[in-house]
Amino acid sequence: MLGQGLIRKGGMPSRLFDILKVYAFGSREKLYTYASLIFKAKHWASKRASAYIDNAYSPFRFELNTLMTTALVHNIKTIIINAHKKAHNPNGYMMSSFMRLFEEQANAYLINNA
């Protein structure tokens, strides 16, 4: 049920959900935490961008910005592994990594679609 909601309502790519499920090691709570961090980071990056551009929502949509989706799927394993290996605060590490990734890919989207 959680997966269907994230994919259908949240627009999360199914490949991303599959990777998160693997790294949650069967824990529904951990899977929810990972997904929450992704959506919160996307929201905050979008909110920060809205101070500079008019339509800050569309570059942060999974359905529209394939650059963001591809980068997230490609980097999610590294982010999760590094967060748990190197960071004192794994959730904070993941949050800041996701925000940086979203901002970079939103900028690339805007440049490519200008």
Side-chain angles (χ1 to χ4, degrees):
M1 292 304 237
L2 176 61
Q4 291 175 356
L6 291 171
I7 294 167
R8 288 188 187 152
K9 294 179 183 175
M12 180 179 279
S14 59
R15 178 72 181 124
L16 177 61
F17 176 76
D18 292 340
I19 294 169
L20 291 176
K21 202 164 59 171
V22 168
Y23 283 92
F25 299 107
S27 169
R28 184 175 171 86
E29 181 180 308
K30 191 171 276 206
L31 177 61
Y32 182 81
T33 299
Y34 290 157
S36 293
L37 288 169
I38 289 170
F39 284 108
K40 285 176 187 175
K42 192 168 76 134
H43 171 76
W44 282 106
S46 173
K47 194 169 185 157
R48 285 182 10 181
S50 67
Y52 304 104
I53 58 173
D54 291 330
N55 188 8
Y57 183 68
S58 61
F60 291 94
R61 292 198 49 173
F62 287 126
E63 301 89 353
L64 299 175
N65 189 346
T66 57
L67 296 171
M68 182 177 69
T69 303
T70 302
L72 188 56
V73 167
H74 180 74
N75 291 299
I76 190 73
K77 297 174 196 174
T78 304
I79 292 171
I80 292 173
I81 289 169
N82 285 343
H84 291 291
K85 272 187 169 180
K86 299 178 181 179
H88 179 67
N89 177 0
N91 288 352
Y93 179 94
M94 286 187 277
M95 182 75 166
S96 64
S97 296
F98 294 145
M99 285 179 66
R100 186 172 37 259
L101 183 141
F102 291 139
E103 288 170 346
E104 289 170 357
Q105 298 310 315
N107 287 337
Y109 174 86
L110 290 170
I111 289 168
N112 290 338
N113 294 308

